[in-house]
Amino acid sequence: MKLQDIMQGKKEWRAHMARVKALPQDYQIVYKEIQKYLFKVGPVELNESTGLLTGIVDLFEEGAAMKKGVLEVTGRDVAAFCDELIKDSKTYTDLYQESVKQAVSKAIKKDIDKQKP
């Protein structure tokens, strides 16, 4: 990755966060919780693009403009809202589950190979 790409990414992130800071306080709080949730369990491609996060800010800006409370936009279960957003995406949880399955399969295969005469 070029230095210019890194600088451009930082510039875009700062602009994104400026939009978040312009939201009403309740929206900011929920956005930050969504962001933490998605960074922990969310889609692998989240790190490659801020598209999903930008979409959430777009949605929040629309909700705020219509004078809706943030929970009217997301629903009371914010984690379920997040899960619905990423339901068709590969998550870090999926990757970890795959690696565990592979490790177990490999260990079992080694054990079976040792038992063969």
Side-chain angles (χ1 to χ4, degrees), residues 3-19 50 54:
L3 179 60
Q4 190 173 22
D5 294 338
I6 294 170
M7 290 173 56
Q8 181 63 29
K10 284 185 177 185
K11 197 180 291 184
E12 289 171 8
W13 184 252
R14 282 190 208 107
H16 174 81
M17 291 309 296
R19 289 177 63 200
T50 59
T54 299

Side-chain angles (χ1 to χ4, degrees), residues 2 8 11 13 18 47 51 55 57 79 81 84-85 87 110:
K2 297 179 190 176
Q8 181 63 29
K11 197 180 291 184
W13 184 252
N47 290 336
V57 174
F81 171 80
E84 185 65 26
L85 290 174
K87 70 180 178 185
K110 272 186 178 179

Side-chain angles (χ1 to χ4, degrees), residues 63-74:
M66 294 176 10
K67 305 287 187 214
K68 290 185 174 183
V70 69
L71 295 181
E72 290 179 77
V73 175
T74 62

Side-chain angles (χ1 to χ4, degrees), residues 13 17 28-43 46-47 53 56 78-79 82 86 92:
W13 184 252
M17 291 309 296
Q28 289 181 44
I29 292 167
V30 172
Y31 174 85
K32 288 176 185 172
E33 291 304 315
I34 288 172
Q35 184 182 21
K36 281 193 270 185
Y37 184 86
L38 292 176
F39 283 163
K40 287 183 182 180
V41 302
L46 184 66
N47 290 336
L53 295 175
I56 293 168
V78 176
C82 293
I86 61 172
Y92 287 107

